[in-house]
Amino acid sequence: MSGPTQRTIKANGITLNVAEQGKGPMVLLCHGFPEGWYSWRHQLEALAAAGYHAVAPDMRGYGKSDRPEAIDQYTILHMVGDLVGVLDAFEVKDAVIVGHDWGATIAWHTARLRPDRFRAAAILSVPYRPRSPVPPTSVMPQTADAQFYQLYFQEPGVAEAEFERDPRATLGAMLFGASGEGAMAIRANAESAGRTAGVGMVSRKDGMLPKVPVPLPSWLSAADLDYYGAEFARSGFRGPLNYYRNIDRSWELMGAFEGVKVVVPALFIAGDHDLVIAFPGAAEHLANMKQFVPQLREIKMLPGCGHWTQQERPAEVNEAIVEFLRSLPG
Protein backbone atom coordinates (compact mmCIF):
# COMPACT_ATOMS: atom_id res chain seq x y z
CA MET A 1 0.00 0.00 0.00
CA SER A 2 1.31 3.44 -0.91
CA GLY A 3 1.88 5.88 1.96
CA PRO A 4 -0.13 8.99 2.83
CA THR A 5 -0.37 11.92 0.46
CA GLN A 6 -0.60 15.58 1.46
CA ARG A 7 -2.58 18.47 0.04
CA THR A 8 -4.03 21.78 1.20
CA ILE A 9 -7.73 22.51 1.65
CA LYS A 10 -9.79 25.55 2.59
CA ALA A 11 -11.60 25.17 5.91
CA ASN A 12 -13.24 27.77 8.14
CA GLY A 13 -11.59 30.64 6.32
CA ILE A 14 -8.01 29.34 6.53
CA THR A 15 -5.84 26.88 4.63
CA LEU A 16 -5.07 23.54 6.28
CA ASN A 17 -2.49 21.00 5.18
CA VAL A 18 -3.87 17.47 5.43
CA ALA A 19 -2.31 14.02 5.10
CA GLU A 20 -4.67 11.31 3.93
CA GLN A 21 -4.65 7.64 3.11
CA GLY A 22 -7.23 5.04 2.11
CA LYS A 23 -10.83 5.02 0.90
CA GLY A 24 -14.08 4.54 2.80
CA PRO A 25 -15.80 6.26 5.73
CA MET A 26 -13.77 9.19 7.03
CA VAL A 27 -11.78 9.02 10.26
CA LEU A 28 -10.47 12.47 11.20
CA LEU A 29 -7.27 12.45 13.30
CA CYS A 30 -6.49 15.51 15.46
CA HIS A 31 -2.98 15.85 16.88
CA GLY A 32 -1.77 17.62 19.99
CA PHE A 33 1.21 19.68 21.22
CA PRO A 34 3.91 19.75 19.97
CA GLU A 35 3.21 17.43 17.06
CA GLY A 36 1.57 17.57 13.62
CA TRP A 37 -0.11 15.20 11.19
CA TYR A 38 3.04 13.06 11.39
CA SER A 39 2.13 11.84 14.88
CA TRP A 40 -0.58 9.74 13.17
CA ARG A 41 1.78 8.11 10.66
CA HIS A 42 1.13 4.62 12.08
CA GLN A 43 -2.65 5.09 12.23
CA LEU A 44 -3.02 6.44 8.69
CA GLU A 45 -1.69 3.18 7.25
CA ALA A 46 -3.63 0.91 9.62
CA LEU A 47 -6.93 2.71 9.09
CA ALA A 48 -6.49 2.71 5.32
CA ALA A 49 -5.79 -1.03 5.40
CA ALA A 50 -8.96 -1.54 7.44
CA GLY A 51 -11.11 0.18 4.82
CA TYR A 52 -11.29 3.77 6.06
CA HIS A 53 -10.35 7.18 4.67
CA ALA A 54 -7.92 8.46 7.30
CA VAL A 55 -7.39 12.24 7.28
CA ALA A 56 -4.86 13.95 9.56
CA PRO A 57 -4.54 17.74 9.31
CA ASP A 58 -1.75 19.89 10.56
CA MET A 59 -3.97 21.72 13.01
CA ARG A 60 -4.27 25.53 12.86
CA GLY A 61 -0.88 27.05 13.73
CA TYR A 62 1.13 23.94 12.89
CA GLY A 63 3.25 22.65 10.04
CA LYS A 64 2.15 23.74 6.59
CA SER A 65 -1.28 24.97 7.73
CA ASP A 66 -2.08 28.65 8.20
CA ARG A 67 -0.75 30.23 11.37
CA PRO A 68 -2.90 33.26 12.24
CA GLU A 69 -0.83 35.82 14.12
CA ALA A 70 -3.51 37.04 16.53
CA ILE A 71 -3.72 35.09 19.78
CA ASP A 72 -7.52 35.30 19.82
CA GLN A 73 -7.71 33.12 16.68
CA TYR A 74 -7.01 29.95 18.67
CA THR A 75 -10.10 29.38 20.81
CA ILE A 76 -11.88 26.05 21.09
CA LEU A 77 -14.65 27.33 18.80
CA HIS A 78 -12.10 28.14 16.08
CA MET A 79 -10.83 24.56 16.30
CA VAL A 80 -14.30 23.00 16.16
CA GLY A 81 -15.05 25.20 13.16
CA ASP A 82 -11.86 24.06 11.43
CA LEU A 83 -12.84 20.40 11.77
CA VAL A 84 -16.37 20.98 10.52
CA GLY A 85 -14.69 22.80 7.63
CA VAL A 86 -12.56 19.73 6.87
CA LEU A 87 -15.71 17.63 6.44
CA ASP A 88 -17.22 20.30 4.21
CA ALA A 89 -14.05 20.50 2.09
CA PHE A 90 -14.19 16.75 1.52
CA GLU A 91 -17.98 16.92 0.98
CA VAL A 92 -18.70 14.20 3.53
CA LYS A 93 -21.78 14.08 5.72
CA ASP A 94 -20.07 12.82 8.85
CA ALA A 95 -16.92 11.25 10.27
CA VAL A 96 -15.52 9.56 13.34
CA ILE A 97 -13.14 11.87 15.18
CA VAL A 98 -9.96 10.72 16.91
CA GLY A 99 -7.92 13.08 19.09
CA HIS A 100 -4.78 13.11 21.23
CA ASP A 101 -3.56 15.69 23.78
CA TRP A 102 -4.89 19.11 22.64
CA GLY A 103 -6.51 17.22 19.81
CA ALA A 104 -8.30 15.14 22.45
CA THR A 105 -9.82 18.21 24.10
CA ILE A 106 -10.80 19.56 20.69
CA ALA A 107 -12.26 16.21 19.65
CA TRP A 108 -14.33 15.91 22.83
CA HIS A 109 -15.89 19.32 22.23
CA THR A 110 -16.29 18.78 18.49
CA ALA A 111 -18.25 15.58 19.11
CA ARG A 112 -20.13 17.31 21.92
CA LEU A 113 -21.20 20.34 19.90
CA ARG A 114 -21.68 18.70 16.49
CA PRO A 115 -22.93 15.13 16.94
CA ASP A 116 -24.74 15.59 13.61
CA ARG A 117 -21.34 15.68 11.85
CA PHE A 118 -19.19 13.54 14.15
CA ARG A 119 -20.87 10.21 14.83
CA ALA A 120 -18.32 8.78 17.29
CA ALA A 121 -15.12 9.74 19.10
CA ALA A 122 -11.97 7.83 20.01
CA ILE A 123 -9.92 9.89 22.45
CA LEU A 124 -6.33 9.40 23.58
CA SER A 125 -4.62 10.66 26.75
CA VAL A 126 -6.96 13.44 27.95
CA PRO A 127 -10.19 12.35 29.66
CA TYR A 128 -13.34 14.42 29.29
CA ARG A 129 -13.35 17.19 31.87
CA PRO A 130 -16.49 19.14 32.68
CA ARG A 131 -16.23 22.92 32.79
CA SER A 132 -14.63 24.15 36.00
CA PRO A 133 -16.41 26.76 38.15
CA VAL A 134 -13.52 29.24 37.73
CA PRO A 135 -11.11 30.17 34.93
CA PRO A 136 -8.60 27.29 34.61
CA THR A 137 -5.40 29.32 34.93
CA SER A 138 -6.63 30.78 38.24
CA VAL A 139 -6.19 27.41 39.98
CA MET A 140 -3.06 26.10 38.25
CA PRO A 141 -0.25 25.33 40.73
CA GLN A 142 2.65 27.68 41.23
CA THR A 143 5.28 28.34 43.89
CA ALA A 144 8.02 30.91 44.38
CA ASP A 145 10.39 28.69 42.40
CA ALA A 146 8.19 26.96 39.81
CA GLN A 147 4.93 27.19 37.91
CA PHE A 148 2.69 24.81 36.02
CA TYR A 149 3.84 24.55 32.41
CA GLN A 150 0.58 26.01 31.07
CA LEU A 151 1.23 29.16 33.10
CA TYR A 152 4.78 29.30 31.72
CA PHE A 153 3.24 29.31 28.22
CA GLN A 154 1.01 32.35 28.86
CA GLU A 155 3.43 35.24 28.26
CA PRO A 156 3.95 35.66 24.50
CA GLY A 157 7.55 35.22 23.44
CA VAL A 158 8.93 33.57 26.58
CA ALA A 159 8.46 29.88 25.76
CA GLU A 160 9.02 30.63 22.05
CA ALA A 161 12.50 31.96 22.82
CA GLU A 162 13.44 28.82 24.73
CA PHE A 163 11.91 26.32 22.30
CA GLU A 164 13.05 27.94 19.06
CA ARG A 165 16.75 28.04 19.95
CA ASP A 166 17.01 24.43 18.73
CA PRO A 167 13.66 23.02 17.60
CA ARG A 168 15.01 19.50 17.04
CA ALA A 169 16.47 19.34 20.56
CA THR A 170 13.24 20.82 21.97
CA LEU A 171 11.13 18.14 20.32
CA GLY A 172 13.54 15.42 21.40
CA ALA A 173 13.41 16.56 25.02
CA MET A 174 9.61 16.80 25.05
CA LEU A 175 9.01 13.50 23.27
CA PHE A 176 11.39 11.64 25.58
CA GLY A 177 10.42 13.47 28.76
CA ALA A 178 6.69 12.73 28.53
CA SER A 179 7.12 9.19 27.21
CA GLY A 180 6.80 6.10 29.37
CA GLU A 181 10.59 5.75 29.37
CA GLY A 182 11.07 9.39 30.29
CA ALA A 183 8.49 9.27 33.08
CA MET A 184 10.24 6.29 34.65
CA ALA A 185 13.65 7.99 34.36
CA ILE A 186 12.37 11.22 35.93
CA ARG A 187 10.74 9.29 38.77
CA ALA A 188 13.92 7.29 39.41
CA ASN A 189 16.08 10.42 39.44
CA ALA A 190 13.71 12.15 41.86
CA GLU A 191 13.64 9.15 44.18
CA SER A 192 17.44 8.86 44.18
CA ALA A 193 17.62 12.54 45.14
CA GLY A 194 15.07 12.04 47.91
CA ARG A 195 12.43 14.32 46.42
CA THR A 196 9.08 14.10 44.64
CA ALA A 197 8.92 14.87 40.95
CA GLY A 198 6.56 17.81 40.39
CA VAL A 199 4.16 16.88 37.58
CA GLY A 200 4.23 19.51 34.85
CA MET A 201 6.11 22.12 36.87
CA VAL A 202 8.62 24.50 35.23
CA SER A 203 11.47 26.22 37.04
CA ARG A 204 11.12 30.00 37.05
CA LYS A 205 14.92 30.24 36.88
CA ASP A 206 15.88 27.52 34.40
CA GLY A 207 12.88 27.19 32.09
CA MET A 208 11.33 23.97 30.86
CA LEU A 209 13.95 22.11 28.83
CA PRO A 210 16.70 19.95 30.33
CA LYS A 211 20.26 21.27 30.21
CA VAL A 212 21.76 17.94 29.10
CA PRO A 213 21.01 15.87 25.98
CA VAL A 214 18.33 13.21 26.30
CA PRO A 215 18.20 9.84 24.54
CA LEU A 216 15.83 8.97 21.74
CA PRO A 217 12.91 6.94 23.08
CA SER A 218 12.78 3.44 21.64
CA TRP A 219 9.68 4.20 19.52
CA LEU A 220 11.15 7.28 17.79
CA SER A 221 13.81 7.18 15.07
CA ALA A 222 16.36 9.87 14.29
CA ALA A 223 14.55 10.39 10.98
CA ASP A 224 11.27 10.94 12.85
CA LEU A 225 12.91 13.56 15.05
CA ASP A 226 14.51 15.18 12.00
CA TYR A 227 11.06 15.55 10.45
CA TYR A 228 9.56 17.10 13.58
CA GLY A 229 12.54 19.42 14.02
CA ALA A 230 12.35 20.66 10.44
CA GLU A 231 8.61 21.31 10.70
CA PHE A 232 8.98 23.45 13.83
CA ALA A 233 12.10 25.17 12.53
CA ARG A 234 9.95 26.44 9.66
CA SER A 235 6.65 27.13 11.43
CA GLY A 236 7.80 28.07 14.94
CA PHE A 237 5.99 27.59 18.23
CA ARG A 238 3.81 30.69 18.46
CA GLY A 239 0.69 29.10 16.93
CA PRO A 240 0.88 25.95 19.08
CA LEU A 241 1.47 28.01 22.24
CA ASN A 242 -1.51 30.23 21.41
CA TYR A 243 -3.79 27.27 22.16
CA TYR A 244 -2.72 27.58 25.80
CA ARG A 245 -3.14 31.37 25.76
CA ASN A 246 -6.83 30.87 25.04
CA ILE A 247 -7.58 28.45 27.86
CA ASP A 248 -9.47 31.03 29.92
CA ARG A 249 -11.12 32.60 26.86
CA SER A 250 -12.35 29.19 25.71
CA TRP A 251 -13.64 28.57 29.24
CA GLU A 252 -15.68 31.78 28.94
CA LEU A 253 -17.06 30.86 25.51
CA MET A 254 -18.04 27.35 26.53
CA GLY A 255 -20.28 28.67 29.28
CA ALA A 256 -23.04 28.80 26.67
CA PHE A 257 -22.91 24.99 26.44
CA GLU A 258 -22.92 24.19 30.15
CA GLY A 259 -24.61 20.83 30.75
CA VAL A 260 -24.34 19.59 27.16
CA LYS A 261 -23.02 16.01 27.18
CA VAL A 262 -21.02 14.03 24.65
CA VAL A 263 -23.82 11.83 23.34
CA VAL A 264 -22.01 9.87 20.60
CA PRO A 265 -20.30 6.48 21.16
CA ALA A 266 -16.81 7.00 22.58
CA LEU A 267 -13.60 5.12 23.34
CA PHE A 268 -10.85 6.35 25.68
CA ILE A 269 -7.24 5.13 25.59
CA ALA A 270 -4.34 6.26 27.76
CA GLY A 271 -1.02 5.08 29.15
CA ASP A 272 -0.69 4.47 32.85
CA HIS A 273 2.58 6.47 32.77
CA ASP A 274 0.96 9.45 31.03
CA LEU A 275 1.68 12.70 32.85
CA VAL A 276 -1.92 13.82 32.12
CA ILE A 277 -3.23 10.85 34.08
CA ALA A 278 -0.94 11.91 36.95
CA PHE A 279 -2.38 15.45 37.10
CA PRO A 280 -4.39 16.29 40.24
CA GLY A 281 -8.05 15.38 39.69
CA ALA A 282 -7.41 13.09 36.69
CA ALA A 283 -8.44 9.95 38.58
CA GLU A 284 -11.78 11.57 39.41
CA HIS A 285 -12.29 12.60 35.78
CA LEU A 286 -11.70 9.01 34.69
CA ALA A 287 -14.04 7.62 37.33
CA ASN A 288 -16.82 10.09 36.49
CA MET A 289 -16.40 10.24 32.72
CA LYS A 290 -19.47 8.15 31.88
CA GLN A 291 -21.63 10.71 33.67
CA PHE A 292 -20.71 13.21 30.93
CA VAL A 293 -20.12 10.70 28.11
CA PRO A 294 -23.03 8.28 28.55
CA GLN A 295 -22.08 6.16 25.51
CA LEU A 296 -18.48 5.66 26.65
CA ARG A 297 -17.75 2.09 25.54
CA GLU A 298 -14.40 1.45 27.21
CA ILE A 299 -11.51 2.99 29.12
CA LYS A 300 -8.39 1.21 27.89
CA MET A 301 -5.19 1.73 29.90
CA LEU A 302 -1.85 0.71 28.38
CA PRO A 303 0.73 -0.43 30.97
CA GLY A 304 4.09 1.33 30.77
CA CYS A 305 2.89 3.76 28.09
CA GLY A 306 3.49 7.47 28.49
CA HIS A 307 1.84 10.50 26.92
CA TRP A 308 2.55 9.88 23.22
CA THR A 309 -0.02 7.10 23.06
CA GLN A 310 -0.40 6.46 19.35
CA GLN A 311 3.34 6.68 18.72
CA GLU A 312 4.49 4.65 21.72
CA ARG A 313 1.97 1.83 21.26
CA PRO A 314 0.80 1.97 17.64
CA ALA A 315 -0.22 -1.68 17.30
CA GLU A 316 -2.42 -1.65 20.40
CA VAL A 317 -3.92 1.75 19.59
CA ASN A 318 -4.62 0.75 15.99
CA GLU A 319 -6.29 -2.49 17.06
CA ALA A 320 -8.47 -0.72 19.62
CA ILE A 321 -9.55 2.04 17.21
CA VAL A 322 -10.35 -0.35 14.36
CA GLU A 323 -12.33 -2.62 16.69
CA PHE A 324 -14.24 0.42 17.94
CA LEU A 325 -14.93 1.63 14.40
CA ARG A 326 -16.24 -1.77 13.34
CA SER A 327 -18.58 -1.87 16.34
CA LEU A 328 -20.37 1.32 15.31
CA PRO A 329 -23.78 1.17 13.65
CA GLY A 330 -23.83 1.63 9.88
Side-chain angles (χ1 to χ4, degrees):
M1 180 181 295
S2 60
T5 58
Q6 295 181 61
R7 60 172 158 141
T8 57
I9 61 171
K10 291 292 186 180
N12 194 27
I14 63 172
T15 298
L16 295 178
N17 178 63
V18 299
E20 59 181 318
Q21 191 168 352
K23 295 181 179 179
M26 182 183 286
V27 180
L28 183 57
L29 304 159
C30 308
H31 69 79
F33 174 88
E35 298 172 282
W37 77 261
Y38 192 72
S39 70
W40 298 109
R41 59 197 179 279
H42 305 298
Q43 287 67 47
L44 286 162
E45 180 178 0
L47 289 167
Y52 297 94
H53 180 199
V55 177
D58 282 329
M59 302 290 280
R60 172 186 294 246
Y62 283 84
K64 301 178 187 72
S65 291
D66 279 354
R67 303 184 297 276
E69 186 69 16
I71 291 173
D72 65 6
Q73 295 299 295
Y74 293 83
T75 72
I76 189 68
L77 293 182
H78 287 88
M79 308 305 169
V80 173
D82 291 351
L83 299 180
V84 172
V86 172
L87 268 60
D88 291 343
F90 280 95
E91 298 182 342
V92 298
K93 174 179 174 288
D94 57 30
V96 174
I97 192 165
V98 181
H100 168 256
D101 185 77
W102 255 111
T105 297
I106 295 163
W108 279 127
H109 289 297
T110 301
R112 179 178 173 231
L113 300 182
R114 295 304 304 269
D116 59 320
R117 302 300 302 274
F118 296 90
R119 60 191 180 93
I123 309 296
L124 282 56
S125 177
V126 180
Y128 182 79
R129 291 174 288 194
R131 185 171 181 263
S132 64
V134 296
T137 66
S138 70
V139 291
M140 289 177 181
Q142 55 181 316
T143 66
D145 300 321
Q147 59 186 325
F148 193 55
Y149 75 99
Q150 295 184 16
L151 293 176
Y152 174 61
F153 291 169
Q154 294 303 308
E155 182 65 31
V158 175
E160 286 95 328
E162 182 181 13
F163 297 166
E164 291 173 3
R165 278 197 293 268
D166 185 341
R168 187 182 188 277
T170 295
L171 270 293
M174 290 183 178
L175 291 171
F176 175 76
S179 70
E181 296 158 66
M184 288 186 277
I186 291 168
R187 187 177 304 157
N189 290 339
E191 289 174 354
S192 67
R195 55 183 173 78
T196 301
V199 178
M201 298 299 284
V202 175
S203 166
R204 294 185 187 274
K205 176 184 175 184
D206 298 324
M208 182 170 171
L209 300 176
K211 304 307 178 189
V212 296
V214 299
L216 273 176
S218 60
W219 46 269
L220 190 76
S221 71
D224 293 332
L225 186 55
D226 288 343
Y227 185 89
Y228 277 127
E231 288 290 278
F232 281 89
R234 184 185 64 253
S235 63
F237 284 84
R238 179 181 169 89
L241 289 164
N242 282 343
Y243 285 56
Y244 294 92
R245 293 167 186 153
N246 279 279
I247 289 174
D248 287 349
R249 179 62 175 150
S250 292
W251 174 86
E252 294 173 2
L253 294 170
M254 294 305 287
F257 304 99
E258 186 72 21
V260 175
K261 297 182 178 182
V262 179
V263 297
V264 300
L267 167 70
F268 180 74
I269 308 170
D272 65 358
H273 283 50
D274 191 330
L275 58 86
V276 174
I277 301 301
F279 287 166
E284 290 77 10
H285 291 315
L286 283 172
N288 296 329
M289 196 155 39
K290 196 152 189 175
Q291 178 182 341
F292 304 99
V293 189
Q295 287 204 71
L296 180 65
R297 300 276 186 87
E298 183 183 7
I299 295 176
K300 186 176 183 66
M301 300 300 295
L302 304 177
C305 180
H307 180 62
W308 314 110
T309 328
Q310 74 270 28
Q311 298 185 79
E312 293 187 52
R313 297 292 181 81
E316 290 164 89
V317 169
N318 295 346
E319 181 181 8
I321 292 174
V322 170
E323 180 181 353
F324 173 66
L325 291 170
R326 288 176 173 164
S327 75
L328 298 172

